[in-house]
Amino acid sequence: HHCFTRQEQAWLYGYALNYCIRQIRNVREVFVPEALNLYEQGIESGILLGEDGRLSPWHFKNIVKLALRLRRFEWAGWFIRGKNALLEPDFRADALHYNLADLYFFTGRYDEAQEHLMQVGLSDVHYSLGAKEMLAKIYYETGEYEALESLLHAFRIYLRRNRIITDNVRKAYLNFAKVLQHRLRAGRQQLPALQAKVEKMDLLTAKNWLLDQMPRS
C-alpha cells in the first residue's frame, strides 16, 4: 500500500473487484471469497470509502450477496445492521430492508423476506431492480405462479420504459424474466436445451439460481 497514493489504491481495488465480479457472473465460484476479502480489506483500510467516509449502496449490496453465497449468514446479518451507518442517510432504510430481505430469502424465510421487500423504496435503481427480481424468485419458490406471470409482465414493461437503466443491466434483467417464463412452461424434455442456453448467456442476472431450477419438473 505504501507504494501507491490513496487514489491509486482505490483504482486498484476497483479493478480487482470488477475482475472478480465478472468471473463470478461466469459461475467461477473461486472468486467469491476473493471478492469478499477485497471488500473487507477495502472497508477496514478506508480505501473503498468516499472522502466523507461513506460506502456506496452498490458495494453494500454486493458484500451481502457475496457473504450469502458463502453461507456466512450470521456475518451477513451483523454487516447489514452494523455497517448500515456507513451509507448516506438517504440510502440507509432501503439498504437495510433490501439486504435483510435477501438474507431471509436465502435462508428460506420467504414471508419475512416479502415484509422487508414491501418497505424498499426507490432511492437506488439497483435496489428497485433487485427487489423485483427477488419477489419473482419468491413467487416461484412458493408456487404462486399466477402472481409470478403478472409480475414478469410488469417487470418487462418497467425495464423497457426506464431510461436510467443501462443497456447491459436492462438486457440482464430482461433475460432473467425471459428464462424464468420459459422455465415455468418447459416440460421435462425441454429442460436440457434451456439449461444449455442459460449456461451460455453472458448478460443474465441470478444465473446460478436459474440453473438450480432446471432439474425440477
Side-chain angles (χ1 to χ4, degrees):
H1 282 177
H2 69 277
C3 295
F4 302 95
T5 67
R6 185 179 179 85
Q7 183 61 67
E8 289 170 336
Q9 291 177 49
W11 287 337
L12 289 170
Y13 269 97
Y15 296 147
L17 283 166
N18 286 338
Y19 179 81
C20 287
I21 289 168
R22 285 198 301 272
Q23 298 304 315
I24 291 166
R25 285 174 181 160
N26 289 323
V27 201
R28 298 189 66 187
E29 294 297 305
V30 67
F31 285 93
V32 175
E34 291 284 352
L36 185 57
N37 184 50
L38 283 169
Y39 271 123
E40 289 187 89
Q41 290 179 9
I43 292 173
E44 184 178 346
S45 65
I47 298 302
L48 291 180
L49 303 180
E51 293 182 1
D52 56 358
R54 300 297 187 193
L55 181 66
S56 85
W58 184 240
H59 283 330
F60 193 91
K61 179 175 173 235
N62 279 347
I63 291 165
V64 173
K65 283 196 173 294
L66 291 168
L68 295 178
R69 286 176 78 154
L70 292 170
R71 305 188 70 80
R72 292 177 60 181
F73 302 134
E74 186 175 341
W75 186 93
W78 166 82
F79 180 84
I80 293 165
R81 296 180 177 90
K83 298 299 183 180
N84 188 260
L86 289 176
L87 299 168
E88 290 283 354
D90 289 347
F91 291 108
R92 289 175 190 169
D94 278 0
L96 177 70
H97 291 299
Y98 175 86
N99 288 289
L100 283 176
D102 209 7
L103 173 60
Y104 292 138
F105 170 78
F106 219 93
T107 52
R109 296 158 66 178
Y110 300 129
D111 288 343
E112 291 170 87
Q114 280 188 261
E115 287 176 12
H116 283 284
L117 283 179
M118 290 174 63
Q119 299 179 68
V120 175
L122 300 173
S123 67
D124 183 272
V125 67
H126 295 290
Y127 279 119
S128 179
L129 292 169
K132 289 175 173 61
E133 175 205 304
M134 198 187 312
L135 187 57
K137 293 191 289 189
I138 290 172
Y139 285 158
Y140 181 88
E141 295 280 5
T142 56
E144 297 182 52
Y145 299 133
E146 288 187 14
L148 176 56
E149 292 268 13
S150 178
L151 174 62
L152 291 176
H153 176 71
F155 195 16
R156 283 191 290 267
I157 293 173
Y158 172 82
L159 287 165
R160 292 188 177 108
R161 290 181 177 175
N162 192 312
R163 297 306 170 195
I164 298 175
I165 304 169
T166 63
D167 289 341
N168 281 352
V169 170
R170 179 181 293 106
K171 184 67 173 177
Y173 280 100
L174 282 171
N175 281 339
F176 166 81
K178 183 178 180 180
V179 169
L180 189 52
Q181 188 94 57
H182 287 172
R183 178 61 190 92
L184 280 174
R185 299 171 181 177
R188 180 186 293 272
Q189 293 181 337
Q190 297 170 302
L191 289 178
L194 181 58
Q195 181 174 346
K197 184 177 180 180
V198 171
E199 288 171 347
K200 293 177 182 178
M201 282 187 176
D202 290 327
L203 295 175
L204 177 63
T205 189
K207 188 171 186 175
N208 276 356
W209 180 84
L210 287 166
L211 287 171
D212 286 343
Q213 314 315 312
M214 297 303 161
R216 303 181 186 181
S217 61

